[in-house]
PDB file of all heavy atoms in Angstrom:
ATOM      1  N   LEU A   1      10.143 -18.304 -14.930  1.00 83.00           N
ATOM      2  CA  LEU A   1      10.398 -16.965 -14.417  1.00 83.00           C
ATOM      3  C   LEU A   1      11.323 -16.165 -15.325  1.00 83.00           C
ATOM      4  O   LEU A   1      11.063 -14.998 -15.631  1.00 83.00           O
ATOM      5  CB  LEU A   1      10.988 -17.062 -13.010  1.00 83.00           C
ATOM      6  CG  LEU A   1      10.914 -15.799 -12.147  1.00 83.00           C
ATOM      7  CD1 LEU A   1       9.480 -15.356 -11.935  1.00 83.00           C
ATOM      8  CD2 LEU A   1      11.594 -16.026 -10.807  1.00 83.00           C
ATOM      9  N   LEU A   2      12.400 -16.795 -15.799  1.00 80.00           N
ATOM     10  CA  LEU A   2      13.381 -16.073 -16.614  1.00 80.00           C
ATOM     11  C   LEU A   2      12.978 -15.994 -18.080  1.00 80.00           C
ATOM     12  O   LEU A   2      13.492 -15.158 -18.820  1.00 80.00           O
ATOM     13  CB  LEU A   2      14.754 -16.741 -16.489  1.00 80.00           C
ATOM     14  CG  LEU A   2      15.361 -16.727 -15.076  1.00 80.00           C
ATOM     15  CD1 LEU A   2      16.716 -17.436 -15.077  1.00 80.00           C
ATOM     16  CD2 LEU A   2      15.522 -15.296 -14.570  1.00 80.00           C
ATOM     17  N   SER A   3      12.056 -16.871 -18.518  1.00 79.00           N
ATOM     18  CA  SER A   3      11.682 -16.877 -19.933  1.00 79.00           C
ATOM     19  C   SER A   3      10.447 -16.037 -20.217  1.00 79.00           C
ATOM     20  O   SER A   3       9.805 -16.196 -21.246  1.00 79.00           O
ATOM     21  CB  SER A   3      11.444 -18.326 -20.399  1.00 79.00           C
ATOM     22  OG  SER A   3      10.385 -18.907 -19.659  1.00 79.00           O
ATOM     23  N   GLY A   4      10.098 -15.147 -19.296  1.00 81.00           N
ATOM     24  CA  GLY A   4       8.954 -14.258 -19.505  1.00 81.00           C
ATOM     25  C   GLY A   4       7.999 -14.229 -18.338  1.00 81.00           C
ATOM     26  O   GLY A   4       7.179 -13.321 -18.222  1.00 81.00           O
ATOM     27  N   GLY A   5       8.095 -15.234 -17.462  1.00 82.00           N
ATOM     28  CA  GLY A   5       7.199 -15.278 -16.319  1.00 82.00           C
ATOM     29  C   GLY A   5       7.400 -14.134 -15.348  1.00 82.00           C
ATOM     30  O   GLY A   5       6.520 -13.833 -14.528  1.00 82.00           O
ATOM     31  N   TRP A   6       8.555 -13.465 -15.453  1.00 87.00           N
ATOM     32  CA  TRP A   6       8.839 -12.319 -14.571  1.00 87.00           C
ATOM     33  C   TRP A   6       7.852 -11.181 -14.821  1.00 87.00           C
ATOM     34  O   TRP A   6       7.576 -10.385 -13.908  1.00 87.00           O
ATOM     35  CB  TRP A   6      10.261 -11.808 -14.812  1.00 87.00           C
ATOM     36  CG  TRP A   6      10.502 -11.359 -16.226  1.00 87.00           C
ATOM     37  CD1 TRP A   6      10.961 -12.091 -17.269  1.00 87.00           C
ATOM     38  CD2 TRP A   6      10.228 -10.047 -16.756  1.00 87.00           C
ATOM     39  NE1 TRP A   6      11.001 -11.349 -18.422  1.00 87.00           N
ATOM     40  CE2 TRP A   6      10.568 -10.079 -18.132  1.00 87.00           C
ATOM     41  CE3 TRP A   6       9.734  -8.871 -16.212  1.00 87.00           C
ATOM     42  CZ2 TRP A   6      10.421  -8.972 -18.959  1.00 87.00           C
ATOM     43  CZ3 TRP A   6       9.589  -7.763 -17.036  1.00 87.00           C
ATOM     44  CH2 TRP A   6       9.940  -7.822 -18.382  1.00 87.00           C
ATOM     45  N   LEU A   7       7.304 -11.090 -16.043  1.00 86.00           N
ATOM     46  CA  LEU A   7       6.445  -9.944 -16.367  1.00 86.00           C
ATOM     47  C   LEU A   7       5.155  -9.932 -15.547  1.00 86.00           C
ATOM     48  O   LEU A   7       4.878  -8.945 -14.847  1.00 86.00           O
ATOM     49  CB  LEU A   7       6.144  -9.928 -17.867  1.00 86.00           C
ATOM     50  CG  LEU A   7       5.197  -8.815 -18.320  1.00 86.00           C
ATOM     51  CD1 LEU A   7       5.808  -7.447 -18.059  1.00 86.00           C
ATOM     52  CD2 LEU A   7       4.835  -8.954 -19.784  1.00 86.00           C
ATOM     53  N   PRO A   8       4.313 -11.003 -15.577  1.00 87.00           N
ATOM     54  CA  PRO A   8       3.106 -10.953 -14.745  1.00 87.00           C
ATOM     55  C   PRO A   8       3.418 -10.895 -13.258  1.00 87.00           C
ATOM     56  O   PRO A   8       2.658 -10.294 -12.489  1.00 87.00           O
ATOM     57  CB  PRO A   8       2.360 -12.241 -15.113  1.00 87.00           C
ATOM     58  CG  PRO A   8       3.380 -13.135 -15.726  1.00 87.00           C
ATOM     59  CD  PRO A   8       4.366 -12.240 -16.386  1.00 87.00           C
ATOM     60  N   VAL A   9       4.546 -11.525 -12.857  1.00 89.00           N
ATOM     61  CA  VAL A   9       4.938 -11.452 -11.439  1.00 89.00           C
ATOM     62  C   VAL A   9       5.278 -10.015 -11.066  1.00 89.00           C
ATOM     63  O   VAL A   9       4.863  -9.510 -10.016  1.00 89.00           O
ATOM     64  CB  VAL A   9       6.130 -12.387 -11.153  1.00 89.00           C
ATOM     65  CG1 VAL A   9       6.654 -12.164  -9.735  1.00 89.00           C
ATOM     66  CG2 VAL A   9       5.715 -13.841 -11.328  1.00 89.00           C
ATOM     67  N   ALA A  10       6.036  -9.325 -11.938  1.00 89.00           N
ATOM     68  CA  ALA A  10       6.398  -7.927 -11.673  1.00 89.00           C
ATOM     69  C   ALA A  10       5.158  -7.039 -11.625  1.00 89.00           C
ATOM     70  O   ALA A  10       5.040  -6.156 -10.768  1.00 89.00           O
ATOM     71  CB  ALA A  10       7.370  -7.423 -12.743  1.00 89.00           C
ATOM     72  N   LEU A  11       4.223  -7.267 -12.553  1.00 89.00           N
ATOM     73  CA  LEU A  11       2.975  -6.492 -12.553  1.00 89.00           C
ATOM     74  C   LEU A  11       2.199  -6.727 -11.258  1.00 89.00           C
ATOM     75  O   LEU A  11       1.674  -5.797 -10.648  1.00 89.00           O
ATOM     76  CB  LEU A  11       2.115  -6.877 -13.753  1.00 89.00           C
ATOM     77  CG  LEU A  11       2.603  -6.404 -15.124  1.00 89.00           C
ATOM     78  CD1 LEU A  11       1.796  -7.067 -16.232  1.00 89.00           C
ATOM     79  CD2 LEU A  11       2.495  -4.883 -15.234  1.00 89.00           C
ATOM     80  N   GLY A  12       2.137  -8.005 -10.849  1.00 89.00           N
ATOM     81  CA  GLY A  12       1.434  -8.329  -9.612  1.00 89.00           C
ATOM     82  C   GLY A  12       2.075  -7.685  -8.397  1.00 89.00           C
ATOM     83  O   GLY A  12       1.388  -7.137  -7.529  1.00 89.00           O
ATOM     84  N   LEU A  13       3.409  -7.722  -8.336  1.00 91.00           N
ATOM     85  CA  LEU A  13       4.111  -7.120  -7.197  1.00 91.00           C
ATOM     86  C   LEU A  13       3.924  -5.606  -7.174  1.00 91.00           C
ATOM     87  O   LEU A  13       3.829  -4.998  -6.110  1.00 91.00           O
ATOM     88  CB  LEU A  13       5.597  -7.474  -7.253  1.00 91.00           C
ATOM     89  CG  LEU A  13       5.937  -8.947  -6.973  1.00 91.00           C
ATOM     90  CD1 LEU A  13       7.438  -9.191  -7.135  1.00 91.00           C
ATOM     91  CD2 LEU A  13       5.476  -9.358  -5.573  1.00 91.00           C
ATOM     92  N   ALA A  14       3.855  -4.994  -8.374  1.00 91.00           N
ATOM     93  CA  ALA A  14       3.625  -3.539  -8.431  1.00 91.00           C
ATOM     94  C   ALA A  14       2.244  -3.199  -7.861  1.00 91.00           C
ATOM     95  O   ALA A  14       2.104  -2.248  -7.076  1.00 91.00           O
ATOM     96  CB  ALA A  14       3.735  -3.053  -9.877  1.00 91.00           C
ATOM     97  N   ILE A  15       1.236  -3.987  -8.220  1.00 92.00           N
ATOM     98  CA  ILE A  15      -0.106  -3.770  -7.677  1.00 92.00           C
ATOM     99  C   ILE A  15      -0.109  -3.999  -6.168  1.00 92.00           C
ATOM    100  O   ILE A  15      -0.744  -3.257  -5.408  1.00 92.00           O
ATOM    101  CB  ILE A  15      -1.128  -4.707  -8.359  1.00 92.00           C
ATOM    102  CG1 ILE A  15      -1.250  -4.387  -9.851  1.00 92.00           C
ATOM    103  CG2 ILE A  15      -2.494  -4.591  -7.689  1.00 92.00           C
ATOM    104  CD1 ILE A  15      -1.844  -3.043 -10.162  1.00 92.00           C
ATOM    105  N   LEU A  16       0.621  -5.035  -5.721  1.00 93.00           N
ATOM    106  CA  LEU A  16       0.704  -5.319  -4.282  1.00 93.00           C
ATOM    107  C   LEU A  16       1.298  -4.137  -3.527  1.00 93.00           C
ATOM    108  O   LEU A  16       0.800  -3.746  -2.462  1.00 93.00           O
ATOM    109  CB  LEU A  16       1.540  -6.577  -4.051  1.00 93.00           C
ATOM    110  CG  LEU A  16       1.784  -6.967  -2.584  1.00 93.00           C
ATOM    111  CD1 LEU A  16       0.464  -7.309  -1.887  1.00 93.00           C
ATOM    112  CD2 LEU A  16       2.761  -8.138  -2.493  1.00 93.00           C
ATOM    113  N   LEU A  17       2.368  -3.556  -4.085  1.00 93.00           N
ATOM    114  CA  LEU A  17       2.997  -2.394  -3.435  1.00 93.00           C
ATOM    115  C   LEU A  17       2.037  -1.209  -3.376  1.00 93.00           C
ATOM    116  O   LEU A  17       1.998  -0.480  -2.385  1.00 93.00           O
ATOM    117  CB  LEU A  17       4.283  -2.008  -4.183  1.00 93.00           C
ATOM    118  CG  LEU A  17       5.465  -2.963  -4.006  1.00 93.00           C
ATOM    119  CD1 LEU A  17       6.625  -2.549  -4.904  1.00 93.00           C
ATOM    120  CD2 LEU A  17       5.915  -3.000  -2.547  1.00 93.00           C
ATOM    121  N   VAL A  18       1.255  -1.016  -4.441  1.00 93.00           N
ATOM    122  CA  VAL A  18       0.261   0.066  -4.442  1.00 93.00           C
ATOM    123  C   VAL A  18      -0.772  -0.171  -3.343  1.00 93.00           C
ATOM    124  O   VAL A  18      -1.123   0.741  -2.588  1.00 93.00           O
ATOM    125  CB  VAL A  18      -0.421   0.179  -5.823  1.00 93.00           C
ATOM    126  CG1 VAL A  18      -1.636   1.100  -5.748  1.00 93.00           C
ATOM    127  CG2 VAL A  18       0.570   0.703  -6.861  1.00 93.00           C
ATOM    128  N   MET A  19      -1.261  -1.414  -3.234  1.00 93.00           N
ATOM    129  CA  MET A  19      -2.264  -1.740  -2.209  1.00 93.00           C
ATOM    130  C   MET A  19      -1.715  -1.520  -0.800  1.00 93.00           C
ATOM    131  O   MET A  19      -2.378  -0.905   0.046  1.00 93.00           O
ATOM    132  CB  MET A  19      -2.710  -3.203  -2.361  1.00 93.00           C
ATOM    133  CG  MET A  19      -3.616  -3.475  -3.542  1.00 93.00           C
ATOM    134  SD  MET A  19      -4.138  -5.215  -3.538  1.00 93.00           S
ATOM    135  CE  MET A  19      -5.367  -5.198  -4.842  1.00 93.00           C
ATOM    136  N   LEU A  20      -0.503  -2.024  -0.555  1.00 92.00           N
ATOM    137  CA  LEU A  20       0.084  -1.886   0.784  1.00 92.00           C
ATOM    138  C   LEU A  20       0.385  -0.427   1.099  1.00 92.00           C
ATOM    139  O   LEU A  20       0.203   0.026   2.233  1.00 92.00           O
ATOM    140  CB  LEU A  20       1.367  -2.723   0.873  1.00 92.00           C
ATOM    141  CG  LEU A  20       1.163  -4.250   0.842  1.00 92.00           C
ATOM    142  CD1 LEU A  20       2.506  -4.963   0.815  1.00 92.00           C
ATOM    143  CD2 LEU A  20       0.334  -4.713   2.039  1.00 92.00           C
ATOM    144  N   THR A  21       0.844   0.320   0.089  1.00 92.00           N
ATOM    145  CA  THR A  21       1.144   1.741   0.291  1.00 92.00           C
ATOM    146  C   THR A  21      -0.117   2.508   0.646  1.00 92.00           C
ATOM    147  O   THR A  21      -0.144   3.293   1.603  1.00 92.00           O
ATOM    148  CB  THR A  21       1.787   2.335  -0.979  1.00 92.00           C
ATOM    149  OG1 THR A  21       3.051   1.709  -1.196  1.00 92.00           O
ATOM    150  CG2 THR A  21       1.994   3.841  -0.832  1.00 92.00           C
ATOM    151  N   TRP A  22      -1.188   2.293  -0.124  1.00 90.00           N
ATOM    152  CA  TRP A  22      -2.434   3.025   0.135  1.00 90.00           C
ATOM    153  C   TRP A  22      -2.988   2.701   1.513  1.00 90.00           C
ATOM    154  O   TRP A  22      -3.358   3.596   2.269  1.00 90.00           O
ATOM    155  CB  TRP A  22      -3.463   2.709  -0.943  1.00 90.00           C
ATOM    156  CG  TRP A  22      -4.766   3.410  -0.711  1.00 90.00           C
ATOM    157  CD1 TRP A  22      -5.901   2.894  -0.185  1.00 90.00           C
ATOM    158  CD2 TRP A  22      -5.046   4.799  -0.966  1.00 90.00           C
ATOM    159  NE1 TRP A  22      -6.882   3.847  -0.103  1.00 90.00           N
ATOM    160  CE2 TRP A  22      -6.387   5.037  -0.570  1.00 90.00           C
ATOM    161  CE3 TRP A  22      -4.301   5.852  -1.497  1.00 90.00           C
ATOM    162  CZ2 TRP A  22      -6.986   6.283  -0.695  1.00 90.00           C
ATOM    163  CZ3 TRP A  22      -4.907   7.095  -1.624  1.00 90.00           C
ATOM    164  CH2 TRP A  22      -6.223   7.303  -1.221  1.00 90.00           C
ATOM    165  N   LYS A  23      -3.022   1.411   1.847  1.00 89.00           N
ATOM    166  CA  LYS A  23      -3.585   1.001   3.125  1.00 89.00           C
ATOM    167  C   LYS A  23      -2.746   1.527   4.290  1.00 89.00           C
ATOM    168  O   LYS A  23      -3.278   2.085   5.261  1.00 89.00           O
ATOM    169  CB  LYS A  23      -3.659  -0.529   3.189  1.00 89.00           C
ATOM    170  CG  LYS A  23      -4.337  -1.074   4.455  1.00 89.00           C
ATOM    171  CD  LYS A  23      -5.823  -0.770   4.454  1.00 89.00           C
ATOM    172  CE  LYS A  23      -6.540  -1.450   5.597  1.00 89.00           C
ATOM    173  NZ  LYS A  23      -7.990  -1.184   5.597  1.00 89.00           N
ATOM    174  N   THR A  24      -1.423   1.370   4.198  1.00 88.00           N
ATOM    175  CA  THR A  24      -0.536   1.760   5.293  1.00 88.00           C
ATOM    176  C   THR A  24      -0.533   3.265   5.499  1.00 88.00           C
ATOM    177  O   THR A  24      -0.676   3.761   6.627  1.00 88.00           O
ATOM    178  CB  THR A  24       0.899   1.270   5.017  1.00 88.00           C
ATOM    179  OG1 THR A  24       0.867  -0.144   4.791  1.00 88.00           O
ATOM    180  CG2 THR A  24       1.814   1.555   6.195  1.00 88.00           C
ATOM    181  N   GLU A  25      -0.364   4.015   4.417  1.00 85.00           N
ATOM    182  CA  GLU A  25      -0.275   5.466   4.528  1.00 85.00           C
ATOM    183  C   GLU A  25      -1.622   6.082   4.893  1.00 85.00           C
ATOM    184  O   GLU A  25      -1.680   7.067   5.625  1.00 85.00           O
ATOM    185  CB  GLU A  25       0.256   6.070   3.222  1.00 85.00           C
ATOM    186  CG  GLU A  25       1.704   5.745   2.937  1.00 85.00           C
ATOM    187  CD  GLU A  25       2.646   6.352   3.961  1.00 85.00           C
ATOM    188  OE1 GLU A  25       2.316   7.391   4.569  1.00 85.00           O
ATOM    189  OE2 GLU A  25       3.724   5.781   4.180  1.00 85.00           O
ATOM    190  N   ARG A  26      -2.689   5.493   4.396  1.00 82.00           N
ATOM    191  CA  ARG A  26      -4.014   6.015   4.758  1.00 82.00           C
ATOM    192  C   ARG A  26      -4.278   5.778   6.252  1.00 82.00           C
ATOM    193  O   ARG A  26      -4.819   6.643   6.942  1.00 82.00           O
ATOM    194  CB  ARG A  26      -5.085   5.335   3.904  1.00 82.00           C
ATOM    195  CG  ARG A  26      -6.476   5.937   4.072  1.00 82.00           C
ATOM    196  CD  ARG A  26      -7.406   5.412   2.988  1.00 82.00           C
ATOM    197  NE  ARG A  26      -8.767   5.897   3.195  1.00 82.00           N
ATOM    198  CZ  ARG A  26      -9.686   5.274   3.917  1.00 82.00           C
ATOM    199  NH1 ARG A  26      -9.382   4.144   4.517  1.00 82.00           N
ATOM    200  NH2 ARG A  26     -10.904   5.774   4.045  1.00 82.00           N
ATOM    201  N   SER A  27      -3.890   4.614   6.746  1.00 81.00           N
ATOM    202  CA  SER A  27      -4.038   4.337   8.179  1.00 81.00           C
ATOM    203  C   SER A  27      -3.184   5.291   9.000  1.00 81.00           C
ATOM    204  O   SER A  27      -3.600   5.780  10.064  1.00 81.00           O
ATOM    205  CB  SER A  27      -3.637   2.891   8.486  1.00 81.00           C
ATOM    206  OG  SER A  27      -4.455   1.988   7.795  1.00 81.00           O
ATOM    207  N   ARG A  28      -1.984   5.590   8.496  1.00 79.00           N
ATOM    208  CA  ARG A  28      -1.099   6.531   9.174  1.00 79.00           C
ATOM    209  C   ARG A  28      -1.724   7.921   9.222  1.00 79.00           C
ATOM    210  O   ARG A  28      -1.674   8.613  10.243  1.00 79.00           O
ATOM    211  CB  ARG A  28       0.246   6.567   8.435  1.00 79.00           C
ATOM    212  CG  ARG A  28       1.304   7.486   9.048  1.00 79.00           C
ATOM    213  CD  ARG A  28       2.483   7.598   8.097  1.00 79.00           C
ATOM    214  NE  ARG A  28       3.510   8.461   8.646  1.00 79.00           N
ATOM    215  CZ  ARG A  28       4.648   8.040   9.185  1.00 79.00           C
ATOM    216  NH1 ARG A  28       4.887   6.742   9.270  1.00 79.00           N
ATOM    217  NH2 ARG A  28       5.544   8.891   9.636  1.00 79.00           N
ATOM    218  N   LEU A  29      -2.354   8.315   8.102  1.00 75.00           N
ATOM    219  CA  LEU A  29      -2.997   9.629   8.042  1.00 75.00           C
ATOM    220  C   LEU A  29      -4.173   9.702   9.013  1.00 75.00           C
ATOM    221  O   LEU A  29      -4.366  10.705   9.716  1.00 75.00           O
ATOM    222  CB  LEU A  29      -3.467   9.900   6.617  1.00 75.00           C
ATOM    223  CG  LEU A  29      -4.180  11.229   6.366  1.00 75.00           C
ATOM    224  CD1 LEU A  29      -3.257  12.405   6.669  1.00 75.00           C
ATOM    225  CD2 LEU A  29      -4.676  11.303   4.928  1.00 75.00           C
ATOM    226  N   ILE A  30      -4.949   8.623   9.063  1.00 71.00           N
ATOM    227  CA  ILE A  30      -6.101   8.606   9.968  1.00 71.00           C
ATOM    228  C   ILE A  30      -5.633   8.657  11.425  1.00 71.00           C
ATOM    229  O   ILE A  30      -6.243   9.318  12.262  1.00 71.00           O
ATOM    230  CB  ILE A  30      -6.975   7.366   9.695  1.00 71.00           C
ATOM    231  CG1 ILE A  30      -7.684   7.533   8.337  1.00 71.00           C
ATOM    232  CG2 ILE A  30      -8.005   7.166  10.800  1.00 71.00           C
ATOM    233  CD1 ILE A  30      -8.453   6.325   7.886  1.00 71.00           C
ATOM    234  N   ARG A  31      -4.515   7.964  11.703  1.00 71.00           N
ATOM    235  CA  ARG A  31      -3.971   8.046  13.076  1.00 71.00           C
ATOM    236  C   ARG A  31      -3.500   9.463  13.383  1.00 71.00           C
ATOM    237  O   ARG A  31      -3.598   9.942  14.498  1.00 71.00           O
ATOM    238  CB  ARG A  31      -2.813   7.058  13.248  1.00 71.00           C
ATOM    239  CG  ARG A  31      -3.252   5.621  13.398  1.00 71.00           C
ATOM    240  CD  ARG A  31      -2.121   4.762  13.930  1.00 71.00           C
ATOM    241  NE  ARG A  31      -0.923   4.809  13.107  1.00 71.00           N
ATOM    242  CZ  ARG A  31      -0.697   4.000  12.089  1.00 71.00           C
ATOM    243  NH1 ARG A  31      -1.594   3.077  11.751  1.00 71.00           N
ATOM    244  NH2 ARG A  31       0.418   4.100  11.392  1.00 71.00           N
ATOM    245  N   ARG A  32      -2.982  10.124  12.349  1.00 66.00           N
ATOM    246  CA  ARG A  32      -2.545  11.527  12.526  1.00 66.00           C
ATOM    247  C   ARG A  32      -3.737  12.400  12.884  1.00 66.00           C
ATOM    248  O   ARG A  32      -3.639  13.337  13.660  1.00 66.00           O
ATOM    249  CB  ARG A  32      -1.900  12.006  11.219  1.00 66.00           C
ATOM    250  CG  ARG A  32      -1.521  13.471  11.172  1.00 66.00           C
ATOM    251  CD  ARG A  32      -0.323  13.747  12.053  1.00 66.00           C
ATOM    252  NE  ARG A  32       0.035  15.147  12.002  1.00 66.00           N
ATOM    253  CZ  ARG A  32      -0.576  16.114  12.673  1.00 66.00           C
ATOM    254  NH1 ARG A  32      -1.591  15.819  13.460  1.00 66.00           N
ATOM    255  NH2 ARG A  32      -0.170  17.365  12.580  1.00 66.00           N
ATOM    256  N   LEU A  33      -4.902  12.055  12.287  1.00 60.00           N
ATOM    257  CA  LEU A  33      -6.142  12.755  12.615  1.00 60.00           C
ATOM    258  C   LEU A  33      -6.954  11.864  13.555  1.00 60.00           C
ATOM    259  O   LEU A  33      -8.145  11.652  13.368  1.00 60.00           O
ATOM    260  CB  LEU A  33      -6.952  13.021  11.330  1.00 60.00           C
ATOM    261  CG  LEU A  33      -6.213  13.770  10.223  1.00 60.00           C
ATOM    262  CD1 LEU A  33      -7.018  13.738   8.944  1.00 60.00           C
ATOM    263  CD2 LEU A  33      -5.910  15.190  10.642  1.00 60.00           C
ATOM    264  N   ARG A  34      -6.275  11.314  14.546  1.00 57.00           N
ATOM    265  CA  ARG A  34      -6.854  10.258  15.371  1.00 57.00           C
ATOM    266  C   ARG A  34      -8.097  10.750  16.126  1.00 57.00           C
ATOM    267  O   ARG A  34      -8.298  11.934  16.329  1.00 57.00           O
ATOM    268  CB  ARG A  34      -5.819   9.735  16.379  1.00 57.00           C
ATOM    269  CG  ARG A  34      -5.371  10.767  17.387  1.00 57.00           C
ATOM    270  CD  ARG A  34      -4.223  10.237  18.225  1.00 57.00           C
ATOM    271  NE  ARG A  34      -3.789  11.232  19.202  1.00 57.00           N
ATOM    272  CZ  ARG A  34      -2.985  12.246  18.927  1.00 57.00           C
ATOM    273  NH1 ARG A  34      -2.518  12.400  17.710  1.00 57.00           N
ATOM    274  NH2 ARG A  34      -2.629  13.108  19.857  1.00 57.00           N
ATOM    275  N   ASP A  35      -8.866   9.750  16.570  1.00 51.00           N
ATOM    276  CA  ASP A  35     -10.037  10.051  17.393  1.00 51.00           C
ATOM    277  C   ASP A  35      -9.619  10.838  18.633  1.00 51.00           C
ATOM    278  O   ASP A  35      -8.651  10.486  19.302  1.00 51.00           O
ATOM    279  CB  ASP A  35     -10.706   8.748  17.846  1.00 51.00           C
ATOM    280  CG  ASP A  35     -11.436   8.074  16.689  1.00 51.00           C
ATOM    281  OD1 ASP A  35     -11.382   8.605  15.586  1.00 51.00           O
ATOM    282  OD2 ASP A  35     -12.062   7.022  16.923  1.00 51.00           O
ATOM    283  N   ASP A  36     -10.328  11.895  18.877  1.00 54.00           N
ATOM    284  CA  ASP A  36     -10.029  12.728  20.054  1.00 54.00           C
ATOM    285  C   ASP A  36     -11.366  13.096  20.691  1.00 54.00           C
ATOM    286  O   ASP A  36     -11.867  14.208  20.522  1.00 54.00           O
ATOM    287  CB  ASP A  36      -9.240  13.973  19.609  1.00 54.00           C
ATOM    288  CG  ASP A  36      -8.808  14.816  20.809  1.00 54.00           C
ATOM    289  OD1 ASP A  36      -9.057  14.394  21.960  1.00 54.00           O
ATOM    290  OD2 ASP A  36      -8.236  15.897  20.588  1.00 54.00           O
ATOM    291  N   GLN A  37     -11.946  12.118  21.400  1.00 55.00           N
ATOM    292  CA  GLN A  37     -13.271  12.313  21.979  1.00 55.00           C
ATOM    293  C   GLN A  37     -13.303  13.517  22.920  1.00 55.00           C
ATOM    294  O   GLN A  37     -14.219  14.335  22.897  1.00 55.00           O
ATOM    295  CB  GLN A  37     -13.688  11.046  22.743  1.00 55.00           C
ATOM    296  CG  GLN A  37     -15.051  11.154  23.417  1.00 55.00           C
ATOM    297  CD  GLN A  37     -16.197  11.173  22.410  1.00 55.00           C
ATOM    298  OE1 GLN A  37     -16.342  10.266  21.624  1.00 55.00           O
ATOM    299  NE2 GLN A  37     -16.993  12.229  22.431  1.00 55.00           N
TER     300      GLN A  37
END
């Protein structure tokens, strides 16, 4: 981890944050425009 392994881990965590952000915020937006039969 300290000898360079932090780099792919950091890249992976950055992608993970992007995925969680998109999914969470998009779901929040859809709830904002929630179904109103």
Side-chain angles (χ1 to χ4, degrees):
L1 199 60
L2 297 179
S3 61
W6 60 269
L7 177 63
V9 172
L11 288 170
L13 290 177
I15 296 294
L16 177 63
L17 288 174
V18 169
M19 286 183 172
L20 291 175
T21 295
W22 179 259
K23 184 69 173 181
T24 305
E25 291 295 333
R26 188 168 176 270
S27 299
R28 182 189 180 104
L29 179 62
I30 290 174
R31 284 195 303 271
R32 174 72 180 80
L33 305 170
R34 64 187 180 279
D35 287 2
D36 184 4
Q37 179 70 57

